[in-house]
Amino acid sequence: TMAQSKSLLVLENFIGGKFVPCSSYIDSYNPSTGDVYCKVPDSGKEEVEAAVKAAKDAFPVWSSKSPLERSQILNKLADLIEQDLEAFAQAESKDQGKTITFARTVDIPRAVYNFRFFASSILHHVTECTEMATMGCVHYTSRTPVGVAGLISPWNLPLYLLTWKIAPAIACGNTVVAKPSEMTSVTAWMMCKLLEKAGVPHGVVNVVFGKGAKAGEALVCHPDVPLISFTGSTLTAQRITEKSAPHCKRLSLELGGKNPAIIFDDADLKQCIPTTVRSSFANQGEICLCTSRIFVQRGIYSEFLKRFVAEAKKWKTGNPSDPTVNMGALISKEHLEKVRNYVKKAQTEGAKILCGEEVDSLALPPGNQKGYFMLPTVITEVKDESCCMQEEIFGPVTCVVAFDTEEEVIKRANGVKYGLAATVWSSNVGRVHRVAHRLQSGLVWTNCWLVRDLNLPFGGMKASGIGREGAKDSYEFFTEVKTITIKH
Ligand code: ADP
C-alpha cells in the first residue's frame, strides 16, 4: 500500500557524486522482526557502466593528488562517520540483525579506524632501491595507482569490511566502484552522504547497490575495472575468478573459514573459556574468523565442556537493540534455515547437542517473534568427517571434540579445505610456537582471539582466499609497481 511504501527507506545509487534512483528495487528485511523496511536498488549493467565511467573520469585528478592531500580527506571522512557513530550503529544493527552493542563497539569504530589507519599508513611507504656499481646503475621501484577498483563486500560486517577496501583503495589514488551486499546496504548509503563534506571529489567513490549475480557480476566483467577486491563465500570467489579470467584481473579474495581452537591441558581456562565462547558466537557466529571446531586435550576435556556449556548458556539472545543482549538475529530466514539444518544433520549422525538449537527453548519479546533468531549451540561427539566439522556454517554453532597428542591435533586441525584463522591455548611457549608454525592458517592467535594489528597481513590459505591485505599488503595490491634503472 501507499502508506507502507511511504514509511520504507528507499536507497539510491551514488554515481559521480550524485544520488540516482534505479528502475527496480529489492526488498531488504529487518532480521530481528522479519519485516521489509528498506528498498535497495536492483542495479545491473547500465548502472555499473555509469559508475565505472564516473570513476574513470575522476581518476586523473585523484591519482595525481599527493598522499598528504588524500590523507587529509580520509581523516575528515573518519571524523564525519565518528560524529554520526550512534546513527550508523543503529542502522547497522537494524539492517544486519547484530546487537547494537557490537555495532557500537566493533563495526562502526572499526570503519572509522579503517580510514584513519590508511590515511596514516599511506604517508609512510618507501620503495626499494638497489645500486649496481659495476654497471654504473641504480635501480628503484615506483608505485602508481591501478585505476578503477571494483570492491565487493558481504553482509556480516557491512561498513567495517566495505571501508577496509575503500580506504586503502582511495588512499593509494585509485577511484572505486563498490557493491555492498544487497542484504545490508544502508550504512554504505549513509556514508555516501558524507563524502562531499569530507572533500572526496565526485566520482572517486561510487556505490552501486544490487545483487551479486547482476550488479556484482557486471562489475567483475567490466573491462575497465582491472582489479577486484572481494570478501565473501568460496563458491562466489570461484565464479568471480572464472568471470574475470578473460581480462587477467588482479584479485584479492577473502573467503570462508572453518577455524579451529586448540586447547592444551595447560591452558588458562579462566581466560580461554569466555574468549572461546566469544570466538564461537560473536556477531551470531557470522564472522569468517569465528571458531567452529574446538579441540580439547583429553585431560581437561570434561571440565572444559562443562564450563564451556555453562558459559554459552549465559549468553542472552534477543532484541538486538537491547544493550544487555549478546546475540541478535541471523541475516535472513534462508540463512537461519541453513544453519539449523546443520544442527539437525549432526543429530541424525548421532552427535550430541549440549545446548541451544533443538534442546533449549528461546523466549523472544513480542516484537521479535518473526525474527531470525537461534541460541548459541554446542555440539559434541561429532566425527571429523561430518559436515559440521568440514563446512563453514557461519552461524552460532560450534563443535567440541577431544584429542590426545600435539601431532594428532595439528593433523586434524589442518584436515579441512579452509585455512583462515586458528587459536591455540597453552602456557608452554615452545609448544605455542611449534603448533602455530605448523598450522595451515593465515592467522594464528595464541591465548587470545581477534586481536589485530592492521599493519600486518590479513588473509587466508587454501580455500580461504588469495592475497593478503594490511598496511603494506594493501598498498601493494592497490598499486602497480615499476622498476626503473638509471645509468650515470
Ligand atoms: P554469502 O554466501 O555469505 O552471502 P556471497 O559470496 O554470496 O556471500 O556474497 C558476498 C558478496 O558477493 C555480496 O555483495 C554478493 O552480492 C556478491 N556476489 C554474489 N555473487 C556474485 C557474483 N556472481 N559476482 C559478483 N559478486 C557476487
Side-chain angles (χ1 to χ4, degrees):
T1 69
M2 275 308 280
Q4 256 176 345
S5 63
K6 258 186 200 157
S7 64
L8 289 179
L9 180 62
V10 182
L11 310 188
E12 290 178 325
N13 288 325
F14 189 72
I15 299 173
K18 289 194 190 71
F19 284 100
V20 280
C22 196
S23 53
S24 60
Y25 290 84
I26 307 159
D27 286 340
S28 183
Y29 293 81
N30 175 340
S32 72
T33 62
D35 297 329
V36 172
Y37 86 105
C38 174
K39 294 267 183 197
V40 174
D42 184 12
S43 310
K45 267 196 179 127
E46 223 172 281
E47 290 78 7
V48 168
E49 183 63 48
V52 173
K53 185 176 181 307
K56 250 181 107 174
D57 291 348
F59 182 73
V61 171
W62 183 248
S63 59
S64 57
K65 282 193 188 300
S66 72
L68 185 60
E69 280 175 285
R70 292 197 294 260
S71 171
Q72 283 163 342
I73 292 171
L74 262 67
N75 274 319
K76 184 80 199 286
L77 182 56
D79 292 345
L80 292 172
I81 297 172
E82 196 171 46
Q83 278 166 26
D84 280 353
L85 194 143
E86 184 56 25
F88 272 100
Q90 295 281 354
E92 203 73 297
S93 169
K94 187 170 181 181
D95 206 21
Q96 206 275 341
K98 67 178 67 220
T99 65
I100 184 66
T101 307
F102 201 82
R104 266 185 200 137
T105 57
V106 180
D107 290 80
I108 311 304
R110 175 57 187 277
V112 171
Y113 186 62
N114 284 337
F115 284 112
R116 289 209 176 115
F117 177 81
F118 286 104
S120 163
S121 76
I122 194 65
L123 303 176
H124 303 290
H125 295 295
V126 286
T127 57
E128 297 147 297
C129 177
T130 62
E131 209 176 345
M132 210 179 242
T134 53
M135 300 294 288
C137 288
V138 289
H139 308 275
Y140 70 95
T141 59
S142 94
R143 285 195 173 265
T144 45
V146 180
V148 178
L151 311 176
I152 300 175
S153 56
W155 48 257
N156 61 333
L157 301 164
L159 193 67
Y160 171 138
L161 288 175
L162 182 68
T163 53
W164 174 241
K165 301 182 186 304
I166 293 180
I170 65 173
C172 292
N174 302 284
T175 56
V176 310
V177 176
K179 198 216 67 76
S181 167
E182 63 275 26
M183 288 186 271
T184 55
S185 292
V186 174
T187 49
W189 173 76
M190 288 170 70
M191 183 195 69
C192 292
K193 296 202 237 181
L194 303 176
L195 294 174
E196 190 167 86
K197 201 169 169 200
V200 179
H202 291 178
V204 171
V205 175
N206 304 278
V207 182
V208 172
F209 298 103
K211 291 181 180 157
K214 202 169 148 190
E217 210 150 304
L219 189 55
V220 168
C221 296
H222 200 294
D224 295 334
V225 179
L227 165 160
I228 300 285
S229 173
F230 167 81
T231 301
S233 64
T234 302
L235 205 65
T236 303
Q238 286 165 352
R239 174 108 187 143
I240 289 177
T241 305
E242 277 174 30
K243 287 282 162 181
S244 63
H247 304 282
C248 290
K249 292 196 184 197
R250 187 185 293 202
L251 299 179
S252 173
L253 307 171
E254 299 284 353
L255 315 176
K258 190 66 193 172
N259 310 310
I262 301 175
I263 300 163
F264 287 98
D265 53 16
D266 60 352
D268 174 3
L269 291 186
K270 246 176 87 189
Q271 299 275 338
C272 170
I273 287 170
T275 304
T276 308
V277 168
R278 203 162 52 81
S279 75
S280 298
F281 305 123
N283 204 48
Q284 302 71 245
E286 296 167 331
I287 306 180
C288 54
L289 305 168
C290 277
T291 302
S292 62
R293 295 180 293 147
I294 305 175
F295 295 93
V296 185
Q297 207 161 16
R298 190 87 55 193
I300 55 164
Y301 181 70
S302 49
E303 190 199 345
F304 176 91
L305 208 54
K306 199 172 88 212
R307 286 169 62 180
F308 184 80
V309 169
E311 188 75 20
K313 282 186 164 178
K314 282 194 216 151
W315 268 44
K316 193 170 152 191
T317 301
N319 189 346
S321 50
D322 174 348
T324 67
V325 154
N326 304 92
M327 240 177 49
L330 274 69
I331 185 66
S332 66
K333 202 172 175 171
E334 295 70 27
H335 187 59
L336 174 65
E337 213 36 53
K338 184 182 147 193
V339 176
R340 279 187 173 149
N341 280 333
Y342 274 106
V343 181
K344 287 203 188 90
K345 187 88 189 290
Q347 223 173 12
T348 61
E349 287 173 0
K352 226 160 110 185
I353 319 295
L354 297 180
C355 65
E357 186 66 21
E358 304 280 326
V359 294
D360 297 311
S361 62
L362 172 59
L364 290 165
N368 298 110
Q369 301 287 332
K370 290 198 180 120
Y372 318 133
F373 296 89
M374 73 178 272
L375 289 165
T377 301
V378 181
I379 302 179
T380 187
E381 287 170 39
V382 54
K383 294 206 171 64
D384 286 7
E385 308 77 61
S386 155
C387 62
C388 285
M389 287 286 279
Q390 290 290 325
E391 296 169 22
E392 183 180 50
I393 300 175
F394 219 62
V397 177
T398 198
C399 300
V400 186
V401 294
F403 75 91
D404 292 294
T405 69
E406 186 179 311
E407 195 60 32
E408 168 207 340
V409 79
I410 291 169
K411 198 159 168 245
R412 291 172 67 190
N414 287 339
V416 291
K417 70 175 181 174
Y418 294 106
L420 186 55
T423 315
V424 181
W425 291 84
S426 167
S427 50
N428 177 334
V429 181
R431 172 145 70 193
V432 158
H433 279 293
R434 262 192 327 265
V435 174
H437 196 75
R438 291 182 61 195
L439 287 172
Q440 296 166 347
S441 180
L443 303 142
V444 181
W445 278 296
T446 74
N447 301 320
C448 64
W449 178 70
L450 209 65
V451 182
R452 286 261 296 122
D453 179 344
L454 304 194
N455 282 297
L456 300 189
F458 176 91
M461 295 183 182
K462 304 200 283 190
S464 292
I466 292 177
R468 297 290 185 272
E469 297 188 10
K472 185 158 171 274
D473 300 86
S474 298
Y475 177 61
E476 288 173 357
F477 178 70
F478 286 111
T479 55
E480 194 69 84
V481 69
K482 188 184 290 173
T483 300
I484 301 172
T485 304
I486 310 283
K487 184 165 162 48
H488 55 73

